[in-house]
Amino acid sequence: AGLTSGQRLVTIQRGPLYRVRGSHVTLWCKVSGYRGPAEQNFQWSIYVPSAPEREVQIVSTVDPSFPYAIYTQRVRGRGIYVERVRGDAVLLHITELQDRDAGEYECHTPNTDERYFGSYSAKMNLVVIADTLSASMVPQVLTLIEGDAVELTCEVSKSTTQHTHLSVGWYYLRGTGEHHAEEVLILSKDFILKPGPSYMQRFLVGDVRLSKVGNTTYKLFLGGVKPSDQGQLYCEAAEWIEDPDKTWKDISRKQTERTFLTVLSQGRDISVDIAAAESSLSEGGTLQLNCMVEAQKSSSRHFQVIWLLNGMEVARVDPHGVLTWEEEYEERAKLGQLQALKPSNTIYVLTIYEVGLRDNGTYRCSVSEMKTPGDLHGIQTNLSSGIQVNVKPIGHRMRLSVSTSTPQVTAGDSLILCCEVQGATRPVSVQWWHLPPQRPGPWVLVATMEQDGSLRLGSTYQDGRTRGSLRLEKASSGTFTLVIPRTLDEDDGGKYRCEATEWSRGQSWTEPGETAVTVSSMAGLGLHATLRSRIATVSYGQSFELVCQVSANYTLEEVPASVRWFFQPSPPTGPYHELAQVFPNGTVAWVATPSHFKEKARVMKADTSFRLHIHSAVAAQEGTYQCEVEVWRRNGLPLGQPAATTRSNAVGIKVVLPESKLRVSTEDSSVEVASSADTAIECRTVFAQNNSQLAVTWYLLPPLADGTPLQIVRANYSGVLEYGPEFSSPAQKSRFLSQRVSSNVFWLQILSANLGDRGKYYCMVEEWLWLVDGWYKLGEGTSGRTTLEFKLPGEQLQMEKTNFSLSAREGEDVTLGCLLQGAHLTDTHLSATWFQVKRSGLNSPLLTLHHDGTIQLPQEGLAGRLYLRRPTAGDFSLTLSRVERGDAGLYYCQLQEWRQQGQGKDWALQASARSGYTHLTTVPP
């Protein structure tokens, strides 16, 4: 990044790369933007984790002496070499990766440019990991008749810590040579089934299938085999990892041993049958099998007969009657224990003397017709049905019975399984197997007790922290008892199989027996919690109790159980919060619980119920309660995750506060005041509790109001004042004061009352009481209305009282008229006040010109936009500059005439008058 064209840039394969020990690894490196020859040279080095600062030189395309001694032999032996892909790109090959090859690799290109410009090397990391991939398949030699089916099993596993994928597939080799393998069916790393080209049609009709059983077992089903299927089959597994460049790389591949498959053509006019004189016989007896051929003109035809045991060849008789034994049977034939005869061209006899347990299985005979006696391949083949031969050991009287004393348990309970062996005369080994419910297989090994009494646990049962320490004990009576101390869940139910094996002279025979158990999950056994209270409404100071009743389909007293108590106040301020938890051992933990709960609450546990007792309830305990119950499996210490959890219904508790005794006088009254004089509105309580505190809020209903009262000021129970929005200006706050005159009398003082203060006043009184954890409002009362009127002087000034409407464009100036009609006395002075009637109905003073010539502007925000120009002595018109949208509304003015009562004495109001309303409408620019 940051290089421009003409700059040298060396790029290396992105890392880190994870590769397995022993694999062939390649790393690419290329250079661009160089000058000089088209064939560039490359040098590879490594920085190992133990010395990350020290460069160790590996190989060079130009300098044979470049490698350090540690790499010299591998480079000379071509164990490490550089492959040139093109002049400016190479691949580093490490043919057999070693642990010491892990580290940071650097690719360097010597300079061929006129000057150094750009980057000359790049680095990446290579991590060497163990090869944990394994693949195995039992090798077999199978002989089948055309149309038969075969199933092959491949076990594949890995334990790589990195995230890798597996692919598993079967391959076919024709004949016995090492020809190119043909794909049969592949399960790709992306979990997609891909049949080979020759098997596509058979895959589509279901004759070629692959199934995965458990974590490691893969099965190939090949149905309707054909002569063309004859050859070798093997399984190959590959482990894939995603490199940083988002491509997938196979880092390991493993092939299994091979199964050799022979497929014989089905004869069309040949009938083959097999019979035994006795198919169930004791060890040491004689087994005689007859193979009978039916065919037209049989005496003139040439047959080859092959004897098969469990699909494996035992012996063959060619058309001349020449007998050939398979290698493992030759010694017994020499000792006279085996004999194969051809009494006629249609009857063939196989006799086994002194049969042993190894002779158990299914016998068949295969008949092939040859064109001439010396031919190697038949023109048609037919296979007999199978006959099952059972060989019992001499004196074998072992019998087995399996039982359990715990057929139905709950998760966490123990399982006790008994395997009683009778009639055994020799040492016995016992294996216990388990098949979970609703599973087709495979069975899982639980435990094995060898003949010497040594115990070995299956891999699933070795960790004693999950199911406890399993016990497999043998009583002198021959009873083997398996004890699983602690079941986990339903999957521990199902079938349990006991297999007892008796040993004699290197031979063994096994008797199986099964029993079934059911393990019920505690979560599925109806755990339920119901919360109730005898009373839903309690008085302040009264106690109440909540009962959390628990029920389930198992005995609760025998399992560890805990309860959590939850509370949500009323009205809700958020989700439920936890109050307390009672643990199975009885310990109580209070979880960030307020003191009014912790000091007044008690939690108790009975057999199947939990109780929360609240002593002397307070208002803060009003709300909704819930309980949550958790249970664990028996014997499940340490507890860990609960086996089942349930939350109860919600129960609401209402706490009723003490009844308010407050009474407020509701008589209406009126107050008349002279303009600019001080006055007071009275609010009187008739009765209130001695230990309560009172808060009072004063309201005004202006004359032009729409019925919505305006809050003037509120004095809370501590005496703190809070003004309403219409009275929050400094000028208003200085004129309206709330005062408590006595224990039951409140005054609203109005200083310098003006015409805008007209209206009806009332108060609302609240009664508050301190109740343990805070102040609570018990009740409230509203007073009667007090009407404030202004006492007018005997004389009235003459003014224009007509109502006007004006329209002004926003941003322009507008003048509101206020004219005195006629002259006033020479020894008197005039004062003027402009009012705006707000939407709330409040008459808000805008400007006052006092009789001494001073001007008062109560609203600071309008101070720079109001002008009283007075071109004549009787003209008190108001100019409103830079009109705004909010200026729209009703305006009026009030004029007053004042006369001084004598030299140095006060001025007295002589006359007064109010103008009509001017309705101002604003127009957008």
Side-chain angles (χ1 to χ4, degrees), residues 587-625:
T587 304
V588 178
W590 296 94
V591 185
T593 309
S595 58
H596 57 263
F597 270 109
K598 195 169 182 180
E599 296 171 0
K600 292 175 169 286
R602 278 191 306 124
V603 289
M604 297 160 286
K605 178 186 177 186
D607 292 339
T608 59
S609 65
F610 299 86
R611 296 172 185 269
L612 174 64
H613 182 87
I614 305 293
H615 173 70
S616 187
V618 297
Q621 289 159 348
E622 178 177 316
T624 307
Y625 294 79

Side-chain angles (χ1 to χ4, degrees), residues 176-365:
T176 58
E178 298 295 328
H179 306 295
H180 174 69
E182 182 180 352
E183 295 177 353
V184 179
L185 187 58
I186 310 293
L187 177 62
S188 74
K189 67 179 186 304
D190 304 315
F191 315 110
I192 299 172
L193 283 174
K194 298 178 179 179
S198 300
Y199 293 86
M200 174 63 78
Q201 187 59 37
R202 295 166 71 182
F203 170 76
L204 294 176
V205 299
D207 280 345
V208 177
R209 303 194 298 269
L210 188 151
S211 58
K212 184 181 180 184
V213 182
N215 291 326
T216 61
T217 302
Y218 298 81
K219 292 188 175 184
L220 172 70
F221 175 83
L222 198 58
V225 296
K226 304 176 181 179
S228 60
D229 292 328
Q230 185 162 295
Q232 303 175 57
L233 290 167
Y234 66 90
C235 169
E236 181 180 271
E239 186 173 10
W240 299 76
I241 193 167
E242 187 177 23
D243 285 346
D245 63 0
K246 302 302 180 183
T247 62
W248 285 86
K249 170 65 178 172
D250 54 330
I251 58 175
S252 180
R253 284 185 177 270
K254 295 291 171 64
Q255 287 186 9
T256 65
E257 295 187 73
R258 298 173 182 177
T259 288
F260 291 83
L261 181 63
T262 300
V263 180
L264 303 177
S265 299
Q266 182 71 44
R268 291 173 175 78
D269 67 338
I270 299 176
S271 174
V272 181
D273 196 11
I274 189 171
E278 186 179 4
S279 62
S280 180
L281 60 166
S282 297
E283 198 175 7
T286 300
L287 173 65
Q288 181 176 311
L289 297 167
N290 297 321
C291 180
M292 294 153 286
V293 182
E294 289 185 10
Q296 294 180 358
K297 300 178 182 179
S298 60
S299 60
S300 60
R301 299 167 75 170
H302 310 286
F303 300 116
Q304 174 181 271
V305 174
I306 300 175
W307 289 98
L308 302 169
L309 171 58
N310 297 327
M312 309 290 287
E313 185 172 332
V314 176
R316 69 174 57 202
V317 181
D318 71 7
H320 293 297
V322 177
L323 173 64
T324 305
W325 295 99
E326 275 296 301
E327 183 178 352
E328 63 181 286
Y329 295 95
E330 286 180 349
E331 186 63 29
R332 294 176 66 187
K334 290 177 182 178
L335 297 174
Q337 296 177 0
L338 300 177
Q339 188 181 65
L341 300 175
K342 179 184 178 182
S344 70
N345 201 35
T346 57
I347 297 177
Y348 299 81
V349 180
L350 173 66
T351 305
I352 303 177
Y353 303 97
E354 299 182 21
V355 294
L357 299 178
R358 57 188 168 180
D359 299 319
N360 271 319
T362 302
Y363 287 81
R364 295 173 185 264
C365 62

